Amino acid sequence: MNGKYTILIYFISPLIFFTWIAEAEELIVDNSDRSQVIKFFFDQYLPSEGFENRHEWTGSIENRNPGQVSERLHQDVIMRINYFRAMAGLNANIKLSEDLNNMAQEAAFMMAHQNTLSHYPDSDWSYYSESGVTAARNSNLSLGTNVAYYGPAAVDGQIEDAGENNKNLGHRRWILYSKAPLLMGHGSVPLNDIIYRPHSDPDP
């Protein structure tokens, strides 16, 4: 067992959202008003910090059980997404679907078990499920190295979208997509619960 990697995954494709959508209260902030922005940060961003202490993951790598994370962690994630959307002047009433959460958790577990990220997992992966594959193909994915890079922290990372391979800012664009579906799904496998699979030494 090694704490090297962790996963955040959530759906962003409108093609798979067939679940009935309930109305959610929309967050609104006047980002030209400094006092409002400061209050909004304290009210809507900071409460989702400290998520590392409340993930309550019930799964097991050894037992091939994707498990679930706590409802509080799910809410931390969607709070962070809606925070950034409101700050960008977009609708900020995204909710999570239990069905999509379950699919996203399958995908997160597949990648934790394989110790890699892919939008197109192969059937020869060490843990494989069709629902996980569907999730992987329609999601933002994050993988952390030696930090608690899941949940809200992964949302922050996708907004930053650093790295040469992210120069098109695809993750940020999906989070801030003006026509994003009102239902998303989230799944995570927390730090310290990933199998370490070292790469073989390269040929000379």
Side-chain angles (χ1 to χ4, degrees), residues 105-142:
Q105 189 65 26
E106 284 281 334
F109 189 77
M110 284 176 60
M111 297 182 199
H113 209 279
Q114 191 70 20
N115 204 14
T116 191
L117 291 183
S118 174
H119 288 292
Y120 302 98
D122 295 326
S123 58
D124 61 355
W125 276 31
S126 56
Y127 181 89
Y128 182 90
S129 77
E130 290 295 336
S131 62
V133 170
T134 300
R137 290 177 178 173
N138 295 278
S139 298
N140 272 359
L141 308 175
S142 288

Side-chain angles (χ1 to χ4, degrees), residues 76 84 113 124 151 160 181:
D76 288 340
F84 283 117
H113 209 279
D124 61 355
E160 182 180 2

